[in-house]
Amino acid sequence: MNINLVKSIASFIGAAGLSILFGGILLLSFTNAAGKSVQLHIIFGLILLFIGVGFNSRSIWHYFKSQKGKHLIYAILIMSLHIYIIVCINYISFKNRKRIDYTQTKKFTLSDKTINLIKNKLDQDITLIMNENIHENSLRDLNELINQFKYHSKYIKVKRYHPLKDPNNAAILQRAYSLKPSHLLIVASETKGTSIDKGPLIDKGTKRITWFKTEQAIYNSLLNTINAKRYKIYFISGHGEPSTTSKSRNKPNVTQLVNWLLNENYSVEEINLNKLDKGIPKDCDVLAIINPTRRFQKNEIEIVDQYLRTKNKEGKKGCLFLALGSNYEQNHKGRWDWISTGLEELMIEYGIQFNANMIIEPTLTIKQMGMTSIYLPSNHFGKHPITEPFFHNKVSLALKGSTRSLSPPKQSRNTRRLMGLITSSTESKEIIDLNGFTNSVKKRRLNEYISKIESKNHFISIASTDPKPNSKKRKNLTADDFDPNSAKVIGIGNGLFLNSPISEAARDYFSNSIKWLTLENDLIGTGTDISKKVSFVIPENKEWIYKEIIFYLMPLFWIFFGGIVWWRRKN
């Protein structure tokens, strides 16, 4: 047989072996598992490659000793060096990565509280079992969101299944996690799993994942799965407070607020102080009194006082969230005055005085007597863990009515320190004489009455607690200088903005307050910090252009550049 024919056949076999070997390596990289198919590709490819090289070893040796062979070796070495440099750059960037979101709405960025949870609270492996049997738009959005969770924590693992494309894998996961067709995700640890349904999270029109809703759902599931302590919040009833269960439009309620708390893994219960035999339950982490309209009895006030003074099993005193409603009445002398709940006198002992004045915003329309709105821009929030996110995120808050101002007691030996949370607008007015105010409303001379009052900033919400022993002598105290085990009180001059329906800003203010009271400062957040301006922002309607540039034009640029170099060398 002609020796040249044998060498040609061997060369063809070697080239085929090289192609099969390359295909096996690609298959291994995509499947990430050395299955039988991958092993056969690599073994069979290597055998064919060795056959080709063996029959053409002398020719190959002479070729590499020639000028062309040396150029080829040089080109391979240069290419290998470039690949090595690229791999090193990618490895370094992977180990020290930083992600920048240039979208105007920061839609590809997790909220502060989610990042704090997975960075500071997550200390065990969590697996996200993801159902890929959804629309491609939803799948793309879900992958982007899950990648954000993986980016911030090494403990987040992902398993994927498709009941139609990979029924065997789906069956295995179904037996392990009780999967249902309605499930979008299962958030699972070694001992516990929480399911997330896809129905409420996927827009029926666009088939897109609602980012913030899905992030919130994963956040809540993580809290449930990692067995984080479930704090108990008791809402006081029996004094005209809004109901925590009734959804009647004719009666005030805080059901929307309660539902948000339940979604954030809190336990909520409504209690009546007159029906308690042994005081506030020992499992109470926060006592909430919102918008009472009737006076508390003496024994009820004593129960609240005892709760704030008594230490629990963890050595911590009670925590109170107190929001007095904007309610005033006409007394027997015909004069108007605030409805006294009896809690005002108790709060003086804890360093907070509810003043007898009214703060209103005269530039806004008055719909009915006393019902004015106070608009609170972000620069009126204090430097405190509860309110700092509002300042950073440029979040404003609007009260639903006029409010009382708060201040330290005028004559008190109390060593407690106050931290201002919210101050009124500079355009607000302080009304001392409620009777004169109501009369001017009736006579439609309100503007003349208000114009005589000086503008001033007033505290609308205050946090009170004891400072640490070594911090008492310092004048300027920060939130870190206060004793976490002391009784903590948050007072608000008007809590009507917490009644349903409430805004997200109102929800976040209450949620942040509860987290501060329960010492969960690292979970406080109202969303992404967008106060740090970036010089370049990608408009939402042009994001696809930049994606095309990244995925297509950048590789084409290097091909074009390499082609020019090759053409110049050839000529």
Side-chain angles (χ1 to χ4, degrees):
M1 183 181 289
N2 191 341
I3 189 65
N4 292 329
L5 179 61
V6 173
K7 288 184 178 181
S8 298
I9 295 173
S11 299
F12 176 78
I13 292 173
L18 185 62
S19 301
I20 294 172
L21 176 62
F22 183 70
I25 295 173
L26 283 179
L27 191 61
L28 176 64
S29 63
F30 282 119
T31 60
N32 204 21
K36 290 183 178 180
S37 178
V38 173
Q39 293 175 9
L40 286 173
H41 274 78
I42 293 176
I43 294 172
F44 192 58
L46 286 172
I47 291 172
L48 295 181
L49 180 61
F50 285 140
I51 291 173
V53 172
F55 279 93
N56 293 278
S57 57
R58 184 172 295 181
S59 300
I60 293 172
W61 175 255
H62 285 298
Y63 175 79
F64 282 114
K65 289 185 67 176
S66 66
Q67 194 68 22
K68 288 184 178 181
K70 291 179 181 179
H71 283 303
L72 179 62
I73 293 173
Y74 175 75
I76 292 173
L77 289 175
I78 293 297
M79 185 173 65
S80 301
L81 179 61
H82 287 173
I83 293 173
Y84 175 75
I85 293 172
I86 292 172
V87 169
C88 288
I89 291 173
N90 278 276
Y91 178 79
I92 294 171
S93 62
F94 179 79
K95 290 294 184 181
N96 304 275
R97 54 187 174 172
K98 183 174 179 61
R99 193 174 189 274
I100 302 175
D101 186 354
Y102 284 108
T103 57
Q104 196 164 11
T105 57
K106 300 294 181 186
K107 73 175 187 176
F108 296 121
T109 304
L110 296 180
S111 64
D112 295 339
K113 66 177 182 181
T114 302
I115 294 173
N116 286 332
L117 172 67
I118 58 182
K119 277 189 173 182
N120 302 323
K121 296 288 185 178
L122 206 59
D123 57 359
Q124 58 178 302
D125 285 346
I126 296 293
T127 304
L128 303 182
I129 296 93
M130 178 175 142
N131 182 5
E132 293 188 329
N133 187 23
I134 54 178
H135 192 275
E136 60 179 353
N137 290 343
S138 304
L139 184 59
R140 183 171 60 250
D141 293 341
L142 186 59
N143 278 321
E144 180 66 36
L145 178 59
I146 289 177
N147 286 338
Q148 275 292 290
F149 277 87
K150 291 175 63 179
Y151 172 78
H152 289 289
S153 176
K154 64 180 181 179
Y155 294 109
I156 299 292
K157 315 296 180 184
V158 180
K159 290 183 179 179
R160 307 170 189 272
Y161 71 95
H162 197 297
L164 300 180
K165 294 182 179 179
D166 192 358
N168 293 331
N169 181 45
I172 294 172
L173 293 175
Q174 197 281 331
R175 288 192 295 270
Y177 299 102
S178 301
L179 301 178
K180 297 180 180 179
S182 61
H183 288 164
L184 178 68
L185 283 169
I186 301 289
V187 181
S189 65
E190 291 184 358
T191 58
K192 187 178 180 181
T194 306
S195 62
I196 300 174
D197 286 345
K198 56 188 174 184
L201 305 178
I202 300 178
D203 186 271
K204 295 180 180 179
T206 61
K207 305 296 182 183
R208 303 293 298 269
I209 287 288
T210 307
W211 181 281
F212 73 92
K213 286 184 180 179
T214 310
E215 179 195 339
Q216 183 67 41
I218 298 175
Y219 172 86
N220 295 331
S221 299
L222 283 172
L223 282 176
N224 288 324
T225 304
I226 63 179
N227 294 321
K229 180 181 177 181
R230 195 176 190 191
Y231 291 97
K232 190 70 171 285
I233 302 173
Y234 282 93
F235 283 80
I236 298 298
S237 64
H239 314 88
E241 295 91 348
S243 172
T244 59
T245 56
S246 174
K247 296 183 180 180
S248 173
R249 294 184 178 180
N250 300 324
K251 296 182 179 179
N253 66 80
V254 289
T255 53
Q256 194 175 1
L257 188 66
V258 169
N259 289 336
W260 266 321
L261 287 172
L262 293 174
N263 287 336
E264 293 212 357
N265 203 40
Y266 289 99
S267 178
V268 177
E269 189 173 332
E270 189 176 287
I271 57 172
N272 190 315
L273 294 176
N274 272 328
K275 298 180 180 179
L276 298 177
D277 297 329
K278 298 181 180 180
I280 303 296
K282 294 182 179 181
D283 63 344
C284 177
D285 293 297
V286 177
L287 188 65
I289 305 176
I290 298 178
N291 302 332
T293 58
R294 294 194 295 272
R295 187 174 181 85
F296 283 64
Q297 297 178 13
K298 184 177 179 181
N299 67 307
E300 293 178 315
I301 297 174
E302 290 176 353
I303 290 174
V304 175
D305 187 24
Q306 183 183 9
Y307 164 71
L308 290 174
R309 296 179 184 276
T310 304
K311 292 183 179 182
N312 60 14
K313 294 180 180 180
E314 299 174 353
K316 299 175 183 177
K317 294 183 179 180
C319 299
L320 174 65
F321 182 91
L322 175 61
L324 294 184
S326 179
N327 303 301
Y328 48 93
E329 62 183 354
Q330 199 169 17
N331 59 27
H332 65 283
K333 295 182 180 181
R335 293 184 63 83
W336 292 89
D337 200 358
W338 292 105
I339 295 176
S340 176
T341 63
L343 295 171
E344 294 87 349
E345 292 81 2
L346 175 62
M347 287 300 100
I348 291 177
E349 298 182 25
Y350 290 91
I352 299 177
Q353 178 168 312
F354 286 83
N355 297 318
N357 58 4
M358 176 190 289
I359 308 300
I360 69 168
E361 185 73 56
T363 59
L364 300 178
T365 304
I366 298 176
K367 296 182 179 180
Q368 62 186 50
M369 184 171 58
M371 289 300 294
T372 58
S373 293
I374 294 183
Y375 172 75
L376 303 168
S378 58
N379 59 344
H380 287 276
F381 292 95
K383 292 182 179 180
H384 188 275
I386 295 174
T387 49
E388 274 188 339
F390 286 81
F391 179 80
H392 288 314
N393 295 318
K394 308 299 180 185
V395 176
S396 59
L397 182 65
L399 304 185
K400 290 183 178 179
S402 55
T403 182
R404 301 168 71 169
S405 69
L406 286 73
S407 64
K410 295 180 180 179
Q411 295 180 351
S412 176
R413 297 179 180 178
N414 201 304
T415 58
R416 292 176 68 86
R417 295 293 184 90
L418 303 186
M419 294 168 281
L421 302 179
I422 306 177
T423 57
S424 65
S425 165
T426 53
E427 297 180 352
S428 66
K429 304 290 182 177
E430 179 182 17
I431 295 177
I432 305 297
D433 184 7
L434 294 183
N435 191 60
F437 169 70
T438 52
N439 289 336
S440 64
V441 171
K442 293 178 182 178
K443 296 178 181 179
R444 299 179 181 273
R445 295 176 181 173
L446 182 61
N447 290 334
E448 295 178 8
Y449 180 83
I450 293 177
S451 64
K452 299 176 183 179
I453 315 263
E454 293 184 0
S455 297
K456 186 180 178 181
N457 285 90
H458 303 274
F459 283 119
I460 293 175
S461 181
I462 284 178
S464 169
T465 187
D466 287 330
K468 293 177 181 178
N470 57 352
S471 304
K472 290 183 179 180
K473 296 182 179 181
R474 293 211 299 266
K475 292 183 178 180
N476 298 321
L477 300 182
T478 66
D480 295 330
D481 292 321
F482 292 87
D483 184 2
N485 296 323
S486 68
K488 294 187 285 296
V489 178
I490 292 178
I492 301 178
N494 173 14
L496 294 180
F497 70 102
L498 297 173
N499 288 356
S500 300
I502 66 174
S503 65
E504 287 192 23
R507 181 271 319 263
D508 285 332
Y509 184 78
F510 182 78
S511 176
N512 291 357
S513 299
I514 297 300
K515 287 182 172 66
W516 180 76
L517 290 171
T518 55
L519 303 179
E520 291 185 297
N521 289 2
D522 53 347
L523 298 183
I524 289 178
T526 59
T528 306
D529 185 354
I530 58 174
S531 62
K532 298 176 182 178
K533 300 292 185 181
V534 291
S535 57
F536 176 67
V537 175
I538 299 176
E540 189 170 0
N541 60 343
K542 294 184 179 180
E543 287 177 11
W544 67 273
I545 298 176
Y546 295 91
K547 288 181 179 178
E548 298 298 320
I549 291 174
I550 293 171
F551 285 111
Y552 297 107
L553 292 187
M554 287 184 66
L556 288 175
F557 167 77
W558 292 110
I559 293 174
F560 177 74
F561 180 75
I564 293 176
V565 173
W566 173 79
W567 181 261
R568 290 189 62 183
R569 288 184 176 180
K570 181 180 178 182
N571 296 300

